[in-house]
Amino acid sequence: MPEIFNPNPTVFSPSKSTGRRHEMTRSSLWMEEIADIEADQETLESIDQDEIFDLIRNIYDPEHPNTLEELRVVSAAQVDVKHNHVIVEFTPTVPHCGMSTLIGLSIRVRLLRSLPNRFKVDIYVKPGSHQSEHAVNKQLNDKERVAAALENPALVDTLEQTLANVGHQGEPPSG
C-alpha cells in the first residue's frame, strides 16, 4: 500500500453548485463533441470563476475518498479568469504532500478537456503551502513535463480515477 501523506484530513461540506455550468459539460468528460458546437457559434461565450470552480470542485483526492472542495484544496476564491487566461491556485492538505503534482495535473487535465482551446491554463500551489512549491509549480506549467507525465500509463490510470465521477457530486470515485 502506498504511503499516505495525510492520513486524517479535515473534511468540509461542499457548497452549493452555482448552477451556471453548461448543460453540455455534464454529458462528457472529454468534451470532444462540444468543440464542433462551439466552432459553429458566432459569439464567444465568456466563462467566469464560478464556472471554472464548478469544473474542478468534484475532482477526487488521489489519497482519500473526498473531493478537492471537501478537503479545501480548491475554492472559488482561488480561481481567476481574465479574458482567455485561467489561473487556479490550490492548497495541499499538508506542506509535504506527495500528491500535489498529481492534484495539479488532475486540475489541468479537467480544464483542458472542458474549456475551449482559446484558454491558457496556469496551475499553482498556494504560496507558502508546500515545501517544494517552486518545483511543483514548474512541473505543472511546463508543457513538455505535462506531456511526458501523460505518457505514463500508470499515472494516467490514477489521474482518470480522480476524474472518474467529476460530474457526480457526492459519489465516491469508481475503481
Side-chain angles (χ1 to χ4, degrees):
M1 178 166 217
E3 177 184 358
I4 294 181
F5 294 95
N6 185 4
N8 296 309
T10 302
V11 178
F12 300 87
S13 297
S15 60
K16 287 187 175 184
S17 176
T18 61
R20 296 185 53 149
R21 185 184 324 169
H22 294 109
E23 288 298 319
M24 294 183 290
T25 60
R26 295 182 194 171
S27 63
S28 172
L29 199 57
W30 282 98
M31 314 306 273
E32 294 159 334
E33 63 274 3
I34 294 176
D36 295 331
I37 294 168
E38 288 179 346
D40 294 336
Q41 293 178 344
E42 290 182 11
T43 59
L44 296 177
E45 185 176 339
S46 65
I47 295 178
D48 66 18
Q49 134 186 42
D50 290 330
E51 289 172 305
I52 299 297
F53 179 60
D54 279 347
L55 290 171
I56 64 173
R57 70 192 306 165
N58 293 321
I59 296 172
Y60 276 84
D61 183 87
E63 289 186 309
H64 304 287
N66 302 98
T67 66
L68 298 184
E69 179 187 22
E70 291 171 336
L71 296 173
R72 293 293 197 268
V73 172
V74 296
S75 67
Q78 292 175 289
V79 175
D80 188 28
V81 181
K82 291 182 179 146
H83 306 290
N84 292 334
H85 189 195
V86 175
I87 300 170
V88 177
E89 186 178 87
F90 69 97
T91 309
T93 57
V94 292
H96 58 278
C97 180
M99 295 290 141
S100 293
T101 303
L102 182 59
I103 291 168
L105 191 59
S106 297
I107 294 169
R108 175 171 294 287
V109 168
R110 174 64 174 147
L111 293 177
L112 291 177
R113 289 177 178 177
S114 303
L115 295 174
N117 289 337
R118 71 179 191 269
F119 283 91
K120 179 182 183 333
V121 175
D122 287 322
I123 311 293
Y124 297 102
V125 173
K126 180 179 178 182
S129 68
H130 195 277
Q131 64 188 18
S132 301
E133 172 187 332
H134 178 71
V136 171
N137 288 341
K138 185 174 181 178
Q139 195 164 0
L140 291 175
N141 294 294
D142 182 300
K143 287 181 183 181
E144 288 79 22
R145 290 180 188 211
V146 170
L150 294 176
E151 290 177 4
N152 179 330
L155 183 62
V156 170
D157 184 53
T158 303
L159 179 71
E160 293 296 347
Q161 289 177 24
T162 68
L163 299 172
N165 291 320
V166 80
H168 305 95
Q169 187 173 351
E171 296 177 18
S174 59

